[in-house]
């Protein structure tokens, strides 16, 4: 399989159940806690509706008509300023190592710029080393403390990129 076997497109309501399964499978695979992470978010089951706002959007990665990953952008919760958050970026194992993460981040950040965001924030887990390496390659830098209040108190790694 190569990256051309995958399609990146905007989420549709029919993708909700598949994307929720991807998110929860990856969190369990990574040993993440179910509490204080996207595992328990109500939004995880309604990704299409959750990102159906003028400054929010979510893209899925599709392979053979099956959703195998995704990521989105939304205004950073409880934060004053023109900062968005890269949210719910998850990939099943078959998608990894093909450059799709970089491609999807670029799609998200370009769209974030077009709606006027100046910075992009994200939160992740300390042991998600491949994800952190990807974020650093994409220009994100580590922060000493969180920004806003996402409710993900189990995610102690915070990063930011100027757009």
């Amino acid at each position: 399989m190569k990256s051309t076997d995958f399609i990146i497109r905007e989420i549709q309501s029919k993708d909700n159940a598949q994307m929720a399964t991807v998110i929860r499978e990856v969190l369990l695979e990574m040993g993440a806690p179910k509490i204080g992470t996207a595992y328990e978010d109500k939004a995880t089951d309604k990704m299409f509706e959750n990102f159906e706002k003028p400054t929010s959007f979510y893209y899925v990665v599709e392979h053979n008509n099956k959703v195998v990953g995704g990521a989105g952008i939304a205004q950073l919760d409880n934060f004053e300023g023109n900062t968005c958050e890269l949210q719910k970026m998850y990939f099943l194992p078959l998608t990894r190592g093909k450059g799709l993460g970089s491609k999807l981040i670029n799609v998200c950040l370009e769209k974030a710029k077009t709606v006027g965001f100046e910075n992009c924030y994200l939160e992740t887990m300390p042991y998600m080393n491949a994800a952190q390496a990807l974020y650093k390659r994409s220009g994100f830098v580590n922060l000493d403390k969180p920004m806003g209040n996402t409710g993900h108190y189990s995610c102690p790694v915070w990063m930011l990129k100027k757009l």
Side-chain angles (χ1 to χ4, degrees):
M1 269 185 296
K2 49 198 182 309
S3 66
T4 52
D5 295 333
F6 297 85
I7 299 163
I8 294 175
R9 62 169 174 78
E10 288 195 39
I11 194 167
Q12 299 166 11
S13 57
K14 69 178 175 84
D15 301 322
N16 279 348
Q18 287 185 64
M19 195 60 225
T21 299
V22 168
I23 291 169
R24 292 190 173 108
E25 279 182 18
V26 172
L27 284 167
L28 291 176
E29 173 200 347
M30 297 290 171
K34 292 181 180 178
I35 313 247
T37 65
Y39 194 95
E40 68 172 355
D41 287 356
K42 286 181 177 57
T44 296
D45 293 303
K46 296 204 177 304
M47 296 292 284
F48 173 77
E49 293 79 1
N50 189 53
F51 285 88
E52 203 176 22
K53 300 177 189 108
T55 58
S56 298
F57 40 91
Y58 196 86
Y59 294 95
V60 294
V61 178
E62 186 182 289
H63 176 67
N64 291 341
N65 299 313
K66 187 172 188 287
V67 174
V68 293
I73 292 280
Q75 174 71 41
L76 177 57
D77 280 342
N78 305 301
F79 185 78
E80 287 299 315
N82 225 354
T83 298
C84 62
E85 182 184 12
L86 181 65
Q87 296 182 343
K88 297 191 171 43
M89 183 161 176
Y90 295 95
F91 285 84
L92 291 178
L94 82 130
T95 62
R96 298 177 197 156
K98 296 174 177 56
L100 292 163
S102 295
K103 196 182 272 188
L104 188 54
I105 287 174
N106 288 337
V107 167
C108 286
L109 296 181
E110 283 306 310
K111 178 86 180 215
K113 280 188 225 173
T114 68
V115 295
F117 287 116
E118 295 169 4
N119 300 294
C120 186
Y121 172 79
L122 66 83
E123 295 177 335
T124 189
M125 307 300 260
Y127 48 80
M128 292 187 173
N129 297 319
Q132 287 181 60
L134 169 64
Y135 300 142
K136 284 181 179 151
R137 281 195 308 276
S138 299
F140 284 84
V141 295
N142 287 87
L143 299 173
D144 296 333
K145 58 186 192 312
M147 293 171 63
N149 181 4
T150 64
H152 292 161
Y153 52 82
S154 292
C155 297
V157 176
W158 316 285
M159 301 177 90
L160 188 70
K161 175 183 171 76
K162 199 157 199 47
L163 300 179

